[in-house]
């Protein structure tokens, strides 16, 4: 595993900017067709910046906290 940058103390905006530069665990599942809510195409759209933003859910916040 390659770590691009430490996220400790990073703002959400910085974190989102760095996140676009790599592939995360949930994105890997989407890329191989195993994610129940994301497709490979949605990962592509997110990386190029054309995917519509979503409101955070409690599960999304918990996932970020655990990550």
């Amino acid at each position: 595993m390659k770590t691009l940058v430490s996220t400790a103390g990073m703002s959400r905006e910085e974190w989102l900017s760095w996140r676009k530069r790599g592939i995360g665990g949930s994105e890997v599942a989407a890329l191989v067709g195993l994610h129940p809510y994301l497709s490979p195409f949605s990962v592509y759209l997110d990386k190029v910046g054309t995917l519509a933003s979503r409101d955070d859910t409690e599960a999304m916040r918990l996932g970020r906290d655990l990550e």
Side-chain angles (χ1 to χ4, degrees):
M1 176 175 76
K2 181 177 180 182
T3 302
L4 295 175
V5 66
S6 172
T7 58
M10 189 178 284
S11 71
R12 177 161 168 75
E13 290 75 25
E14 280 183 289
W15 175 78
L16 287 171
S17 173
W18 276 102
R19 188 174 180 270
K20 291 203 180 284
R21 300 177 193 187
I23 302 292
S26 59
E27 293 165 330
V28 169
L31 293 173
V32 297
L34 297 176
H35 196 290
Y37 304 108
L38 297 175
S39 68
F41 189 61
S42 67
V43 172
Y44 167 77
L45 292 176
D46 182 44
K47 296 301 176 184
V48 299
T50 58
L51 186 65
S53 63
R54 297 179 282 179
D55 291 332
D56 267 0
T57 65
E58 182 64 18
M60 292 166 70
R61 186 199 57 79
L62 182 59
R64 274 195 314 277
D65 290 349
L66 291 172
E67 191 175 282

